[in-house]
Amino acid sequence: MSWLQHLFLLPALFVGVLLALTACGGGGGHSSSEPLTIEIYGDSIVRGPGLSAPLPAALRVLRPGWVIDDRSASGLVLADLVAGYSEPWPGAPPDAYPRGPQPPFAKVSRSARVVVLAAGLNDALEMRTPAQYEADLREAIRIVRAENRTPVLAGIVGLPVAELFTSERVARQAELNAVTHALAAEQGLQHAGWGEDYLGPVDVIDNVHRTQAASDRLAALLVAAIERTQQ
């Protein structure tokens, strides 16, 4: 299917994003005949409950030549990604983590050239400290680089103060998102800027998860960050 045919399948808002990215040169500077391979480690923001086109599906539409492996799990905390987990939370249903129980991050079998680290919102929910989150993110980055892969940081989405995410937890989200920017700057990593894309309550369907339009914007930001690694 041609890019023009894909274009007609997208919502109007998503069309504008696709055109903008295409105008910037969708190839990302990758000249190899091998497709670009990407693995995504995130939480329910990536899994997109209730969306007709969750973020990985949107990525495949934006860049049909890429190979996207979504390894996200709803409820995932970065500390559990690093340490390994039997379930993302006690009693989690199988559809919350379709890849099943996971070993420690260093023992996960990977083959992708680019590894997206997108977990962090549940760390804010659990009120993990910035120091704890930084240590976990540093370790995940170290593991990816030790495998000669390219880490990309997504950032942590913003959200309104509500029953689940109290003002204290929303403040912690901002602190943890700042950690992702600090480490990206320190280590020369590409950052997708998810935390800075939040437009307010219009972006969420349940005070946490993204609307289709907001999720599509996150996908476009991630495409741009991944392509910068290929330049």
Side-chain angles (χ1 to χ4, degrees), residues 103-166:
F105 194 58
K107 296 183 178 180
V108 172
S109 177
R110 273 178 288 274
S111 60
R113 289 168 52 198
V114 175
V115 176
V116 178
L117 300 173
L121 189 58
N122 291 297
D123 297 73
L125 180 64
E126 294 192 2
M127 289 299 291
R128 291 185 62 79
T129 68
Q132 290 170 325
Y133 183 74
E134 178 180 339
D136 292 328
L137 189 53
R138 282 186 182 278
E139 178 63 2
I141 293 168
R142 184 197 68 77
I143 291 167
V144 172
R145 283 188 148 169
E147 297 173 352
N148 293 317
R149 309 184 197 285
T150 301
V152 170
L153 304 187
I156 305 174
V157 295
L159 68 175
V161 173
E163 292 182 4
L164 184 61
F165 275 88
T166 61

Side-chain angles (χ1 to χ4, degrees), residues 11 61 88 129 168 170 210 222:
V61 172
T129 68
E168 183 180 33
V170 170
R210 276 26 214 172
L222 185 54

Side-chain angles (χ1 to χ4, degrees), residues 207-230:
N207 292 324
V208 177
H209 298 104
R210 276 26 214 172
T211 64
Q212 186 68 67
S215 181
D216 289 346
R217 295 201 316 269
L218 298 181
L221 288 169
L222 185 54
V223 164
I226 292 171
E227 288 188 334
R228 288 194 298 271
T229 71
Q230 305 302 298

